[in-house]
Amino acid sequence: MSELHKPIKKNLFQKAGSVERAGAGKKTSGHNFKQLLIKFICKYKAGSPTDPNVYWISLAPRQLAMMFTGQYQIPVSNGVVKRLLKELGYRYRKPSKVLAAGIYPQRDEQIEVIFSLISLMCMRLSVISIDCKKKERLGILARDGKCLCTGAIKVSDHDYEHLSKGKVIPHGIYDLQANRGYLTVGTSSETAGFILDNLFWWWTGHGIHQYPDAESIVILCGSGEGNSYRHHIFKYMMTRFAKQTGISLIICHYPPYSSKWNPIGHRLFCHLHKAANGVVFDSYQTVMDTFSKAQTSTGLTVVIRLNLKYYQTGQK
């Protein structure tokens, strides 16, 4: 390739604010312009209250470009600002839920006990993890996320309670050994009785066939809602389950502020969330069909049922 036909490589900040023709205006070198733009951007950055190394910009790149041009009379494009922000380490990011809401004194000791029990799965010990996924409302209502579709999905412009046609209460049971999820879609309330019925459904329909020689079951659960360790009604319901099945239960409550360690959250619920991303829950059949599509390359399958039974809250 001849010298005349070689492409000219331009520096990103070489031409901005400078004029090649002599006497056409004030010249600004690429290095000085870049430093000037960085100094201007730093005026609008704010710092994270928890991490001194994390900052964010309160303005969009287009706004920064317009304000910079108006203040310094140096034209700069939206793309230049975007590339500079990327060079400085700025990206569009979502908040990461990693900060604990509190500290529990015996947290590490309790979790070590739970891990030691999970390691006994090979000794005829069935280990299941239970929890209730985020409750939803039934109806033509907007939901977070987006999905592939041929046209815009039209939903109600408001999310008022009276526009809902019912409740969607997904309570899950995850079998750690079989890598299988069992989901009950409730329509009433998350109570200890609701959890008990789900355990009976899992054991009589699936668990007893999966573990015919099981003598004990380890149940991993959180510390709040219907399976709270403070609620005597939950303990009473678990006693009923043990008496009727003849199976001894070892119930492990994760310490407060540590429910994210519960295996069902990152082995089942995250895949249910992906399957239902952006889907409108217009009927219970749609909810069940959507959740049943949750699969993984490691062989996760989900069994789903609908529970229309009414559960009274506030029982003593």
Side-chain angles (χ1 to χ4, degrees):
M1 185 182 294
S2 64
E3 294 293 333
L4 295 175
H5 294 85
K6 285 186 177 180
I8 301 175
K9 296 182 179 180
K10 298 181 180 179
N11 190 335
L12 176 63
F13 303 99
Q14 187 73 31
K15 291 296 186 70
S18 62
V19 182
E20 294 183 355
R21 187 167 49 85
K26 182 181 178 181
K27 296 183 180 181
T28 304
S29 66
H31 176 73
N32 293 338
F33 166 73
K34 182 177 180 180
Q35 296 302 318
L36 184 63
L37 184 56
I38 292 175
K39 185 178 179 180
F40 177 79
I41 290 175
C42 289
K43 294 180 182 179
Y44 300 96
K45 75 176 184 180
S48 170
T50 58
D51 191 341
N53 298 319
V54 176
Y55 299 92
W56 59 80
I57 299 296
S58 57
L59 298 175
R62 187 174 299 277
Q63 293 174 303
L64 290 171
M66 293 176 60
M67 294 172 64
F68 180 84
T69 301
Q71 180 173 341
Y72 294 100
Q73 300 301 314
I74 302 176
V76 60
S77 67
N78 179 31
V80 169
V81 177
K82 282 184 177 181
R83 289 191 286 271
L84 179 59
L85 289 173
K86 185 176 181 180
E87 183 180 331
L88 296 175
Y90 289 94
R91 305 285 191 281
Y92 283 107
R93 295 180 172 92
K94 294 175 61 177
S96 180
K97 296 182 179 180
V98 296
L99 299 178
I103 300 176
Y104 190 70
Q106 289 82 32
R107 183 195 65 177
D108 294 345
E109 290 82 354
Q110 285 187 242
I111 291 181
E112 286 181 3
V113 172
I114 293 175
F115 283 169
S116 64
L117 289 171
I118 294 177
S119 64
L120 298 177
M121 286 192 299
C122 59
M123 301 175 60
R124 296 193 306 170
L125 200 63
S126 173
V127 181
I128 62 174
S129 173
I130 66 172
D131 198 3
C132 189
K133 195 180 180 297
K134 178 186 176 183
K135 302 174 182 63
E136 306 272 1
R137 284 186 291 179
L138 196 71
I140 312 298
L141 304 173
R143 295 184 64 253
D144 293 336
K146 52 188 177 181
C147 58
L148 293 173
C149 53
T150 57
I153 303 175
K154 297 181 180 180
V155 296
S156 175
D157 57 349
H158 289 83
D159 294 334
Y160 295 138
E161 185 68 28
H162 71 273
L163 297 176
S164 172
K165 297 188 295 183
K167 298 179 181 178
V168 178
I169 305 175
H171 185 273
I173 300 174
Y174 176 70
D175 189 337
L176 273 69
Q177 288 177 284
N179 189 26
R180 198 172 193 186
Y182 304 87
L183 190 73
T184 295
V185 178
T187 61
S188 177
S189 302
E190 181 193 356
T191 64
F194 176 59
I195 298 174
L196 176 66
D197 287 347
N198 294 344
L199 288 173
F200 271 126
W201 164 68
W202 165 75
W203 177 251
T204 57
H206 307 277
I208 194 172
H209 306 292
Q210 186 79 17
Y211 309 101
D213 300 327
E215 300 176 356
S216 302
I217 298 176
V218 177
I219 301 179
L220 310 177
C221 55
S223 300
E225 298 296 336
N227 48 244
S228 173
Y229 69 94
R230 297 182 297 269
H231 294 173
H232 293 285
I233 186 70
F234 174 72
K235 300 176 184 179
Y236 169 72
M237 293 297 180
M238 294 302 100
T239 304
R240 283 182 52 187
F241 179 84
K243 287 182 178 180
Q244 295 186 31
T245 59
I247 300 293
S248 63
L249 301 181
I250 304 173
I251 301 178
C252 300
H253 293 276
Y254 279 87
Y257 317 112
S258 305
S259 60
K260 298 297 181 183
W261 288 86
N262 200 350
I264 193 172
H266 51 267
R267 294 191 183 181
L268 175 62
F269 285 168
C270 63
H271 303 295
L272 295 177
H273 178 76
K274 292 178 182 178
N277 201 16
V279 178
V280 178
F281 287 163
D282 57 345
S283 66
Y284 286 114
Q285 188 61 46
T286 300
V287 175
M288 297 175 64
D289 292 342
T290 301
F291 284 145
S292 63
K293 297 176 182 178
Q295 298 178 357
T296 64
S297 58
T298 56
L300 172 70
T301 56
V302 184
V303 180
I304 301 178
R305 70 153 184 163
L306 180 65
N307 184 357
L308 299 175
K309 183 179 177 180
Y310 173 76
Y311 294 91
Q312 184 178 354
T313 59
Q315 290 187 349
K316 302 295 182 181

